[in-house]
Amino acid sequence: MDRLWRGLIWCALRLPHGLRVRAMGWLFSRIVGPLSGRSRLAQRNLAMIFPDMAEDERRRITRAVTDNVGRVVMENYATADQMTRALNWQPHGPGWKAAETARAEGRPILFISGHYGNYQAGRAALNARGYQMGGLYRPLNNPYLNDHYIATIENVGGGAFTRDRRGLAGFVKHLRGGGQGAILIDQYFFGGPIHDFLGQPAPTSPAAAEMALKYDALLVPIYSTRLGNGLDFDIELEAPIPHTDPETMTQALNDSLAARVRAKPEQWFWLHDRWKPARREKAALRSASYD
């Protein structure tokens, strides 16, 4: 599997950037998504969140989502081209000035996003402008695929930090030195506090809010929305989340992402299992059996 994937990426990187990105989008939307079962999962998730949505519309969004995922994969492997294009993606929004001020003052910044658009495009745009935004990531289950997955994160700059004790220590050190970090808020967090996300209970890590409070880091939602040409992004930084308490701040981050997803559902990765309702029900039953 690893050799096949490496071979595919090697061949794709021989093509012009626009062609390879479109080709990978086609491959994921027409072949990988349907054969892997991810397209079915995306449609189930859409039906859960939008029960009144017509089936044809769910299929249309699913094709757009899997196409976007394929493009993201290719873009993140083509780091040199990504960083070059990122020079033209001017960040903006109410959080941009706040981030520039914090960076000038040496204050840590946590940029929070989700699997929306191309979540790495924002890192590329800011790092191309002198930021050192490191990525906190969860390793892939396949160690061979994980090796070159890490490289796609490291090549954007700022460092790559795993979600384990050693990685978190490095991430915290980076922040405390006045650096910037990127965290995706929309991953299922086993045993984590339950927060609302798109009207459904979603176990969500409070780590971003807790670190922001502990290290006085600016907490800024950032989104990279794919534009109509399919290759470029609008990089928007929302107003920083006020420091209150982890529960309130985490819910504010979920609400921020949910608003983006509702506005442009084709930009979010519906094909990952964000809610895991079956697992949640089993956990609740186990908990009840101990009462």
Side-chain angles (χ1 to χ4, degrees), residues 3-223:
R3 290 185 178 182
L4 177 63
W5 182 246
R6 286 178 184 268
L8 176 62
I9 294 298
W10 186 90
C11 291
L13 288 173
R14 310 276 79 78
L15 300 173
H17 185 70
L19 178 57
R20 66 183 172 225
V21 169
R22 288 191 292 271
M24 194 66 76
W26 181 92
L27 180 67
F28 270 63
S29 65
R30 303 297 178 177
I31 299 176
V32 176
L35 290 182
S36 67
R38 290 292 171 172
S39 292
R40 291 190 296 275
L41 176 58
Q43 291 193 48
R44 287 200 300 271
N45 283 334
L46 282 162
M48 179 175 67
I49 302 303
F50 302 113
D52 297 329
M53 180 181 287
E55 186 175 345
D56 286 349
E57 179 64 1
R58 290 201 299 269
R59 285 198 294 264
R60 183 197 69 79
I61 291 174
T62 296
R63 284 194 297 270
V65 168
T66 49
D67 177 86
N68 179 59
V69 171
R71 289 171 183 257
V72 168
V73 168
M74 190 69 258
E75 288 161 345
N76 291 354
Y77 273 97
T79 313
D81 289 289
Q82 185 180 52
M83 295 301 291
T84 298
R85 298 187 78 92
L87 293 171
N88 296 317
W89 305 336
Q90 177 57 53
H92 67 97
W96 174 235
K97 183 177 180 180
E100 287 282 80
T101 299
R103 182 169 71 119
E105 295 173 348
R107 182 183 179 187
I109 309 172
L110 281 168
F111 292 99
I112 311 302
S113 194
H115 292 82
Y116 173 92
N118 184 338
Y119 46 88
Q120 188 159 282
R123 275 186 69 219
L126 268 66
N127 286 354
R129 288 164 173 80
Y131 282 70
Q132 287 294 314
M133 194 195 305
L136 186 65
Y137 73 98
R138 184 170 63 187
L140 299 179
N141 293 331
N142 186 316
Y144 300 104
L145 291 176
N146 191 63
D147 288 344
H148 38 104
Y149 170 63
I150 294 173
T152 69
I153 301 173
E154 291 178 332
N155 291 342
V156 176
F161 304 92
T162 54
R163 286 180 179 267
D164 55 25
R165 181 174 296 182
R166 182 177 180 182
L168 283 170
F171 190 74
V172 166
K173 182 179 179 181
H174 179 68
L175 281 181
R176 294 179 69 177
Q180 305 89 37
I183 298 177
L184 302 181
I185 194 72
D186 59 347
Q187 293 172 305
Y188 183 91
F189 186 64
F190 180 76
I194 302 297
H195 289 271
D196 176 88
F197 181 59
L198 290 168
Q200 294 290 328
T204 308
S205 171
E210 290 173 347
M211 283 191 283
L213 290 170
K214 186 172 183 178
Y215 303 110
D216 189 31
L218 200 68
L219 191 63
V220 183
I222 181 172
Y223 299 103

